[in-house]
Amino acid sequence: MSPTEPSADRPPADRPSIDRPLTGIRVIDAVDGPMQTVGRILSDLGAEVLRIEPPTGSPARSAGVLHGDRSLTFDLRNAGKQSIVVDLTTADGRRTLRDLAADADLVIRDGVAHADLASSTLRERNPLLVVLDISDFGSFGDRAGWSATPDVHAAVSTVLSRSGLPDVEEPLLPPELLLYESAAVQAVWTAMLELAHVRATGVGDVADFSVSEGLLQILDPVFGVSGSARAGVALTDLPRGRPDARHYYPMFAAVDGMVRICVLSRRQWRGMFEWLGSPPEFADPEFDKVTSRYRAKDRLYPAIAAMFATLSVDDAVEQGQRFGVPTAGLASSREVLAQRAFSENGSFEPCTVGDQPALRHSGWYEIDDTRIGAKAGAPELGAGSASNSRTGVPIADDARPGRRPFDGLRVLDLGVIVVGAELGRLFGDYGAEVIKIESSAFPDGSRVIPRHAPITESASWGFRNRKSLGLNLRSDEGRRIFADLVRTSDVVLTNFKPGTLAKLGFDMDALLDLNPGIILSESSAFGNHGPWSRRLGYGPLVRASAGLSGLWSYPGESDGYSDAITVFPDHLVARLNASAIVALLMRRDRTGRGGRVSTAQVDAIFAAMADHLLAQSLDAERELRPEGNDRGIDAFRGLYPAAGTDEWLVVDAVGDDQFAAVASLIGRSEMRADPRYATAQSRWENRAELRKVLSEWTSTRTPFDAAAHLQAAGVPAGPMMRIPDIEADPHLRGRGVFGELIQPQLAGGLITNLGEARTQNLRPPLLQPAPLIAEHTRGVLRDVLGSTDDEIARLIELSVLEDDVQAAKPAVKG
């Protein structure tokens, strides 16, 4: 039995009858670095992924999280792929890869630089081919050629600058496992977007994908929609230092652990008020506003803490759900694996590693209500071959060069907050008509507006390229209108709690009755199945339940949890769903039928932790714990002070060669011969002295200057960048990463992300402003459904439709 293959005592989560949406698509996977998850996700979706390895095997087979001499990381990242041995150091091997690319849809690679394998060469025989070239900082620009690690990317992506607490001297490095796994999801979306472009144009492309730029867009992006707890305050408006965001999603001690709550809406606060026993001190209606509660946190939070101190974690969570207050316990990784809810929802399944029973994460997706995990275990070296079943990307009948990938696609957007905003935007950016269905009576949490402004920067970024339809779905007439829209549309987007759409009368069967080709996208906190499926959930609560919040904290600090400011995994989930939607559109081209994709936020987190959790299931003594800024393995690693106030850089030197390079650079070459520093272990034992020596050098230089010198010496390093740094960064500017979004209600333009990668043929995203609530109601009813002005007026009078009254308001300062 292949390592990590599902064990015989339980059938695989994937039923044999499922029609995986990327069936017939062939991918050549020449990725040996940490981005191997890209091919794994494409394989889960049904693509035939041919893993290219040298005769000695990929170095990834012995890297990552190990169980004995077996790499669990490799096993999980390569499950379901085919292994083909190709010696790229020989002309014959390079010819073999060119032959494989000639009959493929997508090539993904990192570091294949031989002239015989240039992107243009690969595409000579296959003009429909997409080549996704992955590197840390891109193929051109000031940082091209720099090397990186997860911690270097955390620094350069600005995430480090917001991680940690203001009353602690150092910022806090986020868990390493987040960085490349997040970037891999962005790369999958880039690949699927490019395949959609082939479908629309009949033209292939080359995408220069930078991990660094991907992280700027997917891991708590600076120029993107933010969580509703920020009350419309964009990251660009936060103070320079690390913000204390613990009051957004506060933690409280229970009798036997920690509990996190999420009280954002008026309804949630009313539940919290009742749960507290309706204390007169907090009865003023002013407390219905989240900002008022933040101002009163020094009085309010002690009252909540006193109540939780009398409850167990389980009792607190159960009572929170009963009172309508989103509540979650802070779980350890051991508790995650023991949690019945995560086996019953399909997140984990039994497997064997060798002959030892274990638990593995079962994948990202449900397709048509069936969990699709890996098609098989990781392949043995050379145990694979290309099949005869490739059908390729279906080219649209009206395909022509210059089209955007989703021109002609109509999307009904019922999504809310971050996942909802991001998912609709991804399609609107590239040509889809995205109709956001909303109501001022039940506004999207991302519509929270401070300072009486008509729209925020966050909503402007998140809702761009949409039309807004004000529609009351709780009325019979409103549901009739929605049904008519479904008949004329291609995709429906939701991220409601499971069962909400069915209560409105639009479960999947009803949607398919209206339109057999409709595609439904769903996402929720804990998935569609199991005892937690109806549980109220937000990203911070999911992080706590999944064991991530406990890892993102200062070791030994009882109140050191530092993930509250971060929006994760919302942006990942949006891209996971978007990728599956494109795959389902391609399956619809083959079969004529629609389909359904469902994801759970918790699975996006478990996927990033999967190799560590698998290792723990094999070793009862093992448990994931927060590392803080001491990463282990070697010295000259971690966070170092730079010249200036609260300026830092990451240095990540591992191994004898990189230690010697640092020693020479800082003028301490004699350390290379010192027996105290002869091995990684001895350097780690003497890390305090080494840290002092390197800090003396870094503290006299700016973080940018110090990082540049270290990189020139071959040592991974990166400055801790803040928002103003990336706005003015020559490397990002030179690569065309940013554009300008003009939002009429805000004074001045907004810097915005401009595309997922640097491409040759894919047109850049559209930059139309975000709508105000119900701004396009009349136009949508007239243009899409053919309604008359009199009929529209009647429905507005009956409050079935809502008409915008704000669009003409003057601009205000953003």
Side-chain angles (χ1 to χ4, degrees), residues 669-684:
S669 296
E670 74 279 3
M671 293 195 303
R672 299 166 57 179
D674 192 321
R676 293 176 300 166
Y677 311 134
T679 67
Q681 179 62 36
S682 63
R683 290 192 291 268
W684 176 246

Side-chain angles (χ1 to χ4, degrees), residues 378-666:
E380 296 298 329
L381 179 63
S385 61
S387 71
N388 295 319
S389 60
R390 175 180 175 262
T391 58
V393 175
I395 307 301
D397 292 339
D398 57 350
R400 64 182 184 279
R403 290 187 69 199
R404 287 191 165 86
F406 307 122
D407 282 351
L409 194 75
R410 179 170 293 145
V411 176
L412 302 182
D413 180 7
L414 296 169
V416 295
I417 315 182
V418 179
V419 174
E422 280 289 276
L423 183 52
R425 179 188 67 77
L426 294 173
F427 286 91
D429 276 5
Y430 292 98
E433 179 188 28
V434 181
I435 301 172
K436 180 171 176 59
I437 296 172
E438 55 184 334
S439 166
S440 59
F442 301 96
D444 188 325
S446 295
R447 291 284 194 185
V448 174
I449 296 174
R451 305 186 303 273
H452 306 290
I455 195 168
T456 63
E457 292 180 359
S458 173
S460 301
W461 283 313
F463 297 151
R464 76 185 190 194
N465 297 320
R466 279 182 178 82
K467 297 175 180 177
S468 175
L469 167 63
L471 181 64
N472 178 8
L473 285 172
R474 300 192 177 200
S475 67
D476 291 340
E477 287 269 35
R479 287 190 290 272
R480 177 189 61 77
I481 290 171
F482 182 73
D484 288 342
L485 289 170
V486 169
R487 292 187 180 96
T488 71
S489 298
D490 300 281
V491 180
V492 175
L493 309 178
T494 73
N495 58 319
F496 298 139
K497 186 168 63 174
T500 302
L501 200 60
K503 288 180 180 178
L504 294 171
F506 296 104
D507 62 11
M508 190 61 196
D509 288 340
L511 292 173
L512 289 172
D513 285 343
L514 293 166
N515 181 347
I518 200 71
I519 290 165
L520 173 64
S521 168
E522 302 174 315
S523 66
S524 61
F526 298 106
N528 291 338
H529 309 289
W532 289 9
S533 62
R534 303 300 174 92
R535 179 172 282 194
L536 295 166
Y538 291 84
L541 304 185
V542 180
R543 294 197 297 269
S545 300
L548 180 59
S549 296
L551 299 180
W552 203 330
S553 64
Y554 290 98
E557 295 287 336
S558 60
D559 193 24
Y561 305 105
S562 300
D563 66 319
I565 192 65
T566 304
V567 178
F568 181 88
D570 304 61
H571 295 275
L572 269 75
V573 172
R575 284 153 179 83
L576 286 167
N577 280 58
S579 298
I581 290 168
V582 174
L584 286 167
L585 287 168
M586 293 168 62
R587 188 183 75 174
R588 188 178 71 174
D589 289 337
R590 287 192 288 111
T591 67
R593 72 176 189 275
R596 174 186 180 193
V597 55
S598 302
T599 58
Q601 286 198 355
V602 75
D603 282 317
I605 296 175
F606 288 154
M609 303 168 65
D611 48 359
H612 295 275
L613 292 172
L614 177 59
Q616 183 169 321
S617 78
L618 290 161
D619 181 359
E621 300 301 315
R622 183 183 183 119
E623 185 166 14
L624 276 169
R625 299 183 185 279
E627 292 182 306
N629 293 332
D630 279 338
R631 294 309 205 188
I633 300 176
D634 207 331
F636 285 158
R637 296 191 73 205
L639 204 59
Y640 289 85
T645 303
D646 196 30
E647 298 287 356
W648 304 88
L649 78 150
V650 164
V651 182
D652 217 344
V654 175
D656 296 344
D657 291 344
Q658 291 184 3
F659 171 77
V662 175
S664 297
L665 175 66
I666 65 177

Side-chain angles (χ1 to χ4, degrees), residues 268-441:
Q268 291 163 358
W269 161 244
R270 287 294 170 181
M272 186 79 250
F273 179 67
E274 182 183 355
W275 193 7
L276 286 169
S278 303
E281 180 182 5
F282 305 115
D284 192 315
E286 184 68 19
F287 284 99
D288 289 346
K289 301 176 183 177
V290 65
T291 51
S292 297
R293 297 194 296 274
Y294 290 164
R295 286 194 294 268
K297 64 182 184 297
D298 292 340
R299 292 183 292 127
L300 175 59
Y301 287 4
I304 298 173
M307 180 179 69
F308 279 128
T310 68
L311 301 173
S312 69
V313 170
D314 288 345
D315 286 342
V317 172
E318 187 277 327
Q319 290 183 32
Q321 298 296 315
R322 180 152 39 91
F323 282 100
V325 178
T327 310
L330 182 72
S332 68
S333 55
R334 184 172 295 148
E335 290 167 332
V336 163
L337 290 172
Q339 177 52 250
R340 180 174 62 92
F342 296 144
S343 58
E344 294 191 12
N345 78 343
S347 289
F348 293 100
E349 62 184 3
C351 70
T352 58
V353 177
D355 58 357
Q356 187 173 351
L359 280 177
R360 72 169 183 183
H361 180 240
S362 58
W364 295 260
Y365 291 114
E366 283 184 8
I367 298 293
D368 300 332
D369 204 34
T370 298
R371 172 76 68 153
I372 59 165
K375 293 174 284 190
E380 296 298 329
L381 179 63
S385 61
S387 71
N388 295 319
S389 60
R390 175 180 175 262
T391 58
V393 175
I395 307 301
D397 292 339
D398 57 350
R400 64 182 184 279
R403 290 187 69 199
R404 287 191 165 86
F406 307 122
D407 282 351
L409 194 75
R410 179 170 293 145
V411 176
L412 302 182
D413 180 7
L414 296 169
V416 295
I417 315 182
V418 179
V419 174
E422 280 289 276
L423 183 52
R425 179 188 67 77
L426 294 173
F427 286 91
D429 276 5
Y430 292 98
E433 179 188 28
V434 181
I435 301 172
K436 180 171 176 59
I437 296 172
E438 55 184 334
S439 166
S440 59

